[in-house]
Amino acid sequence: MYIVLVYDIGEKRVGRMLKLCRQYLNWIQNSVFEGEITEVKLKELIMQSKKLMNEEQDSMIIFKSRNEKWLEKEVIGKEKNELDTLL
Amino acid sequence: MYIVLVYDIGEKRVGRMLKLCRQYLNWIQNSVFEGEITEVKLKELIMQSKKLMNEEQDSMIIFKSRNEKWLEKEVIGKEKNELDTLL
C-alpha cells in the first residue's frame, strides 16, 4: 500500500523519529513522509514509533491508499528533497 | 475532491497561513489539514497561499484523492483536534 505519514513530535524525540521513519519511507517535507510499504512493515514502523513517542503529547497521522495512483501530489514552493542528502 | 494539505512555512508567515487554510479545510495536526474541497476553491486557496508564501523558503504539499473513501486515516498518539477550539 501507499502511505503518507505526518508527525508532530516533541523536540527531544524528533531526531530519533526522523531516523526511524527514513528507514521505511521517503522524507518529503519537514515532518512528512511518503512511500510504498507492506502491511507488515507498517505495523513494525508503528510499533517502533510508539516506543519513541510520548503518546500524551506526540501525534502521528497515517493516510493509507491502496494504490499510489489514487493519490495525486502537488508541491507549491520549495521542493525539500535536497534535505534528504544532509543526513 | 478530498485533500490532505501539509505546509512547512517560516515562523513569520505561519499564523496567516494557518488562518487561511482553516477557511477551507479542517485542521488536524500542527501543519496538517484535510477536507472535501472543490477544484475552484482549491485553486483559490493555492492562489492565496502563494501570496503569503516565500516560494524560495516555504513549501506546501497537497495530496488529492477523488474520493475520501480511498484514503484511510490512522491516528497514533494524541488527537490534536482540541487545538481547533483555541483559535
Side-chain angles (χ1 to χ4, degrees):
Chain A
M1 95 190 96
Y2 186 81
I3 71 166
V4 173
L5 183 154
V6 293
Y7 57 60
D8 184 15
I9 305 277
E11 219 177 305
K12 283 182 190 167
R13 298 174 290 280
V14 79
R16 273 175 296 158
M17 188 59 101
L18 173 66
K19 205 169 160 187
L20 173 66
C21 290
R22 291 184 77 219
Q23 289 169 23
Y24 294 85
L25 297 164
N26 304 313
W27 189 24
I28 54 167
Q29 203 192 64
N30 203 7
S31 55
V32 186
F33 299 78
E34 68 173 354
E36 193 60 42
I37 193 167
T38 63
E39 200 80 56
V40 173
K41 281 285 170 189
L42 179 58
K43 272 195 186 148
E44 194 182 290
L45 172 56
I46 291 172
M47 208 184 61
Q48 298 287 341
S49 300
K50 283 184 173 170
K51 284 188 202 162
L52 285 182
M53 285 169 81
N54 174 334
E55 289 190 48
E56 314 241 304
Q57 287 175 27
D58 302 337
S59 162
M60 173 185 268
I61 306 175
I62 298 166
F63 299 93
K64 304 173 195 173
S65 176
R66 251 185 288 166
N67 195 320
E68 184 177 353
K69 285 180 201 163
W70 293 353
L71 214 57
E72 193 197 324
K73 188 172 69 168
E74 183 173 351
V75 180
I76 292 138
K78 191 183 179 185
E79 295 256 8
K80 292 258 168 170
N81 291 342
E82 68 263 38
L83 273 175
D84 221 15
T85 58
L86 294 179
L87 295 181
Chain B
M1 93 190 96
Y2 186 81
I3 70 164
V4 173
L5 183 154
V6 293
Y7 58 59
D8 183 15
I9 305 279
E11 221 178 302
K12 284 182 190 167
R13 297 173 291 279
V14 80
R16 275 176 294 158
M17 188 59 102
L18 173 65
K19 208 171 158 185
L20 174 67
C21 290
R22 291 183 76 217
Q23 288 169 25
Y24 295 84
L25 298 163
N26 305 312
W27 189 25
I28 54 167
Q29 203 193 65
N30 204 6
S31 55
V32 187
F33 300 77
E34 66 173 355
E36 194 59 43
I37 194 166
T38 63
E39 199 81 54
V40 173
K41 281 284 169 190
L42 179 58
K43 272 195 186 148
E44 193 182 290
L45 171 56
I46 291 173
M47 208 184 61
Q48 298 288 340
S49 300
K50 283 184 174 172
K51 283 188 201 161
L52 285 182
M53 284 169 81
N54 175 334
E55 290 190 49
E56 314 241 305
Q57 287 176 28
D58 301 338
S59 161
M60 173 186 267
I61 306 175
I62 298 166
F63 298 93
K64 305 173 194 174
S65 176
R66 253 184 288 167
N67 195 319
E68 184 177 353
K69 285 181 201 161
W70 293 353
L71 213 57
E72 193 197 324
K73 188 171 70 167
E74 183 173 352
V75 180
I76 292 138
K78 192 183 181 185
E79 296 256 5
K80 291 257 166 168
N81 292 342
E82 66 263 40
L83 273 175
D84 222 15
T85 60
L86 295 179
L87 294 183

